[in-house]
Amino acid sequence: MLLKVAHTGEPFDLERRREIVHLLVRWRLVREQLAELEAAIEALAPACPELRALMTVPEVGAICAATLVAELGTPQDHEHPRQILKMAGLNLDGRDSASMVGRKCLSKRGRPMLRRQLYLLAGRWALPRGLYHADHAVLKARYGGLGTKAICTLARRLVPLLFALMKTGTPFDKARGRAPGRACARRERGDLGRDSAAAAPSAVPPVPPLLLRPPGWGQAR
């Protein structure tokens, strides 16, 4: 572009303004095409119960719902949400051996588009207007300020909810979606270090100490 400006003798600012105008025209065209695509997907929603159920979830638009349905396929083909976690590459994987226990991390071996949509949806739910904003704050504090790790945990938590909606075809229940997770429940109880079950005294009586073995017991005769 600098060579072109030097050859024509036009000011650099004028050439930059023309380029910005062309980019704005292309951006408006993409926005119009995206609006037409969303309208076409919404028109197909009544014929697809999975798509109709997902579009009742907050922060889930037509593009996000259509991507989830296209990536997951028929929900009856899956028996457990763990299968979807593995398909999306959100399952935990680690390299363990007889002498070492590896660090657990996401496998990221599944479908990248499905993993991306779940991550973006969890990020929108972690915003101040989202349903998982409190959970995100607790998880971020637990992970030492690592926001990406907290959002990945929320994305894993979204899978059972979305899978149940797609399989049953029922609309989203806001009361069920606002139910606090284990992290928020521990924060409200003021017990972040361990569960209440571990902190509460056990009702089982303590096991008496083993009796001393007599001298010479177990020796070869």
Side-chain angles (χ1 to χ4, degrees):
M1 188 177 66
L2 293 177
L3 294 177
K4 181 179 179 181
V5 172
H7 178 72
T8 56
E10 297 180 0
F12 179 77
D13 294 341
L14 181 59
E15 186 69 19
R16 181 62 61 85
R17 291 172 184 173
R18 291 178 178 175
E19 183 178 357
I20 292 175
V21 169
H22 293 327
L23 291 176
L24 290 176
V25 171
R26 295 176 59 185
W27 178 75
R28 293 191 185 97
L29 178 61
V30 171
R31 296 287 295 181
E32 292 176 358
Q33 294 176 350
L34 184 60
E36 295 177 359
L37 181 60
E38 291 180 355
I41 294 176
E42 291 178 357
L44 296 175
C48 182
E50 296 86 3
L51 183 63
R52 186 172 61 252
L54 288 178
M55 291 182 65
T56 61
V57 180
E59 305 295 339
V60 175
I63 300 297
C64 179
T67 304
L68 293 176
V69 172
E71 290 290 331
L72 293 178
T74 306
Q76 283 71 21
D77 295 340
H78 309 284
E79 298 179 357
H80 199 276
R82 293 177 184 174
Q83 297 175 343
I84 300 178
L85 286 175
K86 192 171 184 180
M87 179 186 298
L90 293 175
N91 59 312
L92 299 180
D93 190 13
R95 297 181 178 179
D96 301 338
S97 64
S99 60
M100 182 190 66
V101 178
R103 184 175 62 91
K104 298 296 183 181
C105 59
L106 298 181
S107 64
K108 296 183 180 180
R109 297 176 182 174
R111 300 183 178 180
M113 186 63 67
L114 177 59
R115 183 169 61 252
R116 181 175 181 270
Q117 288 296 331
L118 292 174
Y119 179 84
L120 294 177
L121 179 58
R124 292 193 294 269
W125 276 36
L127 295 176
R129 68 173 186 271
L131 298 180
Y132 282 174
H133 178 64
D135 290 55
H136 177 261
V138 174
L139 292 172
K140 188 176 181 180
R142 176 190 298 178
Y143 296 146
L146 299 178
T148 303
K149 189 174 181 180
I151 293 179
C152 289
T153 304
L154 294 179
R156 287 170 48 85
R157 189 180 299 178
L158 279 174
V159 170
L161 175 63
L162 299 178
F163 176 67
L165 294 179
M166 291 182 62
K167 200 165 188 178
T168 60
T170 57
F172 175 75
D173 186 6
K174 186 175 293 187
R176 181 180 179 183
R178 291 180 181 273
R182 290 178 295 178
C184 285
R186 285 195 294 267
R187 188 193 65 169
E188 293 173 359
R189 292 194 302 264
D191 184 12
L192 289 177
R194 52 184 179 177
D195 296 333
S196 60
S202 177
V204 180
V207 179
L210 296 178
L211 298 178
L212 295 178
R213 295 175 180 176
W217 185 89
Q219 298 181 359
R221 296 181 180 179

